Amino acid sequence: MRTILALVVAMSLAWAQNQTLQLYTWTDYIDPSIVRDFEQATGIKVRITYYESNEEMQAKLQAGGVSQFDLVVPSDFIVPVLINLKLLQPLDKGKIPNLKNLDPKFANPPYDPGNRYTVGYLWGTVGLMYRTDIFKTPPASWSVLFDPKEQKGPFTLMDSPREMLGIGQRYLGLSVNNTDPAQIRRVINTLLTAKQSRNFKGFQGGVSATKLLLANQIVAAVVYNQDALRTAEGNPRYGFTIPREGSTLFIDSMAIPAKAPNPEAAHRFINFILDAKIGARLAEYQQSATPNAAAKKLLKPEMLKNPAIWPTEAQMRVLEFILDQGSNNRVLDEAWTRVKSR
């Protein structure tokens, strides 16, 4: 009798697990109505856990999350690291028929050739969100953060190593992927100058930084364009810009952890997101550019014309994707440690 009872319990647990998708993603990074529609369409319950940086997500996967979560949403530059650490499993493309909707430009990314492990989710930029009552015109330079003489009040920097180091490099006229130790020392000094200012109010994730702006505790913050646009919701008191020196681009993708308990549900969710109508809803909710070509055709014209969402050609010339630097990542890791610890 005990054996039968144990078997029934085990089968019940397995059934419950197969009916649940454990999603690990960025804070406020999906329309709740899309989650509800997926649950209704599939009978699969979605449980969401949030993170605010790629590094936080990687650490969680390495600490056991690789067998806890079914789907994660890493940014482009961290994908090779996750693959090399064997934290991701190859996708079964036969279970993702909507893969055909992906724009060819995103179908063979350098960080994951052939989309073996990842599929594009959304893409965007990192820039400066600011209060328009303090800055009467959009700040033209990152000097409003890095030069104490140009600062106009309290500000925050992004708590994300590669993005923040990359912006420091762009400010100095360098590539965001530069790893020359002498140049990196200049970047460290630039960030430390900002950090040592009385106006500096800490390193923050995108969502927490925008909340500080809305609470009038700061006047400017380095944030993802999506966070800025969704938080401001057209409020003229807040603006978003990419200073003339340039910044970083990012592509966030969907990926399945190597030991995901329910990879079948993960594949179904990926395919659901790649549906044209669902992809358009996601992009509109996030106020974000989409790598889904079929979804892009359904977006409103005013959204496609908004340079804060779809960068202009001039902006694209000073925007760079962050690339994995292999063994040279150590130079950047050490630089970030010095910035945060001083």
Side-chain angles (χ1 to χ4, degrees):
M1 184 68 180
R2 289 181 179 177
T3 302
I4 295 175
L5 181 60
L7 181 61
V8 170
V9 171
M11 291 177 64
S12 297
L13 289 173
W15 182 87
Q17 186 178 70
N18 288 334
Q19 298 303 308
T20 302
L21 172 73
Q22 297 288 347
L23 173 61
Y24 191 32
T25 187
W26 300 83
T27 302
D28 297 334
Y29 206 28
I30 188 166
D31 182 348
S33 71
I34 290 178
V35 173
R36 290 194 296 271
D37 287 350
F38 174 78
E39 291 177 331
Q40 292 175 2
T42 64
I44 298 171
K45 180 68 176 177
V46 180
R47 300 190 183 282
I48 307 177
T49 306
Y50 298 107
Y51 55 85
E52 288 239 28
S53 75
N54 285 288
E55 293 73 22
E56 178 186 350
M57 178 266 296
Q58 178 188 333
K60 188 66 172 283
L61 291 183
Q62 290 179 287
V66 70
S67 58
Q68 177 183 352
F69 301 111
D70 300 304
L71 195 67
V72 292
V73 189
S75 297
D76 40 19
F77 67 88
I78 205 76
V79 169
V81 177
L82 300 180
I83 293 173
N84 291 335
L85 291 172
K86 302 186 184 308
L87 295 174
L88 302 180
Q89 62 176 268
L91 299 173
D92 183 346
K93 295 181 182 179
K95 297 178 179 178
I96 314 175
N98 284 332
L99 201 60
K100 66 181 185 296
N101 290 335
L102 203 62
D103 190 310
K105 290 186 294 186
F106 298 94
N108 189 37
Y111 55 87
D112 180 24
N115 288 113
R116 188 180 178 202
Y117 294 90
T118 66
V119 176
Y121 182 75
L122 292 171
W123 70 273
T125 62
V126 177
L128 188 69
M129 185 176 179
Y130 60 94
R131 280 174 44 188
T132 55
D133 60 328
I134 302 297
F135 297 91
K136 303 302 181 182
T137 58
S141 170
W142 287 111
S143 62
V144 297
L145 303 182
F146 299 136
D147 184 347
K149 297 190 297 296
E150 299 293 327
Q151 295 168 2
K152 294 191 176 183
F155 65 87
T156 59
L157 300 180
M158 180 174 277
D159 194 10
S160 184
R162 290 298 305 274
E163 282 94 347
M164 202 60 245
L165 289 170
I167 287 172
Q169 295 194 91
R170 290 303 313 177
Y171 175 64
L172 296 174
L174 305 170
S175 167
V176 302
N177 296 301
N178 176 63
T179 58
D180 177 75
Q183 302 289 10
I184 295 300
R185 283 195 291 273
R186 296 176 58 207
V187 178
I188 293 171
N189 290 334
T190 296
L191 296 183
L192 287 177
T193 296
K195 183 181 176 182
Q196 291 161 2
S197 166
R198 60 183 177 82
N199 288 315
F200 176 67
K201 300 303 176 184
F203 292 95
Q204 298 286 340
V207 173
S208 54
T210 56
K211 289 179 178 178
L212 290 175
L213 269 164
L214 293 180
N216 293 326
Q217 295 182 33
I218 56 176
V219 302
V222 181
V223 300
Y224 296 110
N225 64 329
Q226 303 162 340
D227 292 331
L229 293 165
R230 285 193 60 239
T231 302
E233 294 183 340
N235 189 331
R237 281 179 51 83
Y238 306 95
F240 176 85
T241 190
I242 297 170
R244 61 172 178 260
E245 296 93 351
S247 185
T248 64
L249 286 163
F250 66 86
I251 304 174
D252 290 331
S253 298
M254 296 173 283
I256 304 175
K259 299 179 181 179
N262 196 351
E264 182 67 28
H267 281 93
R268 294 183 70 176
F269 189 82
I270 291 172
N271 193 61
F272 189 78
I273 292 296
L274 287 176
D275 175 83
K277 291 182 179 179
I278 297 298
R281 284 171 57 191
L282 176 67
E284 289 179 352
Y285 176 81
Q286 293 295 148
Q287 289 293 287
S288 175
T290 175
N292 187 327
K296 184 177 179 181
K297 295 177 182 178
L298 303 179
L299 298 178
K300 298 174 183 177
E302 55 267 31
M303 184 174 174
L304 295 173
K305 294 177 182 177
N306 187 343
I309 300 175
W310 298 89
T312 64
E313 289 186 14
Q315 289 174 324
M316 288 299 290
R317 285 194 287 271
V318 293
L319 289 166
E320 291 183 82
F321 284 111
I322 296 172
L323 304 178
D324 176 51
Q325 297 303 308
S327 60
N328 285 331
N329 283 333
R330 176 182 54 80
V331 176
L332 301 169
D333 292 342
E334 290 175 355
W336 187 246
T337 298
R338 290 180 63 186
V339 170
K340 292 294 291 288
S341 63
R342 290 192 179 183

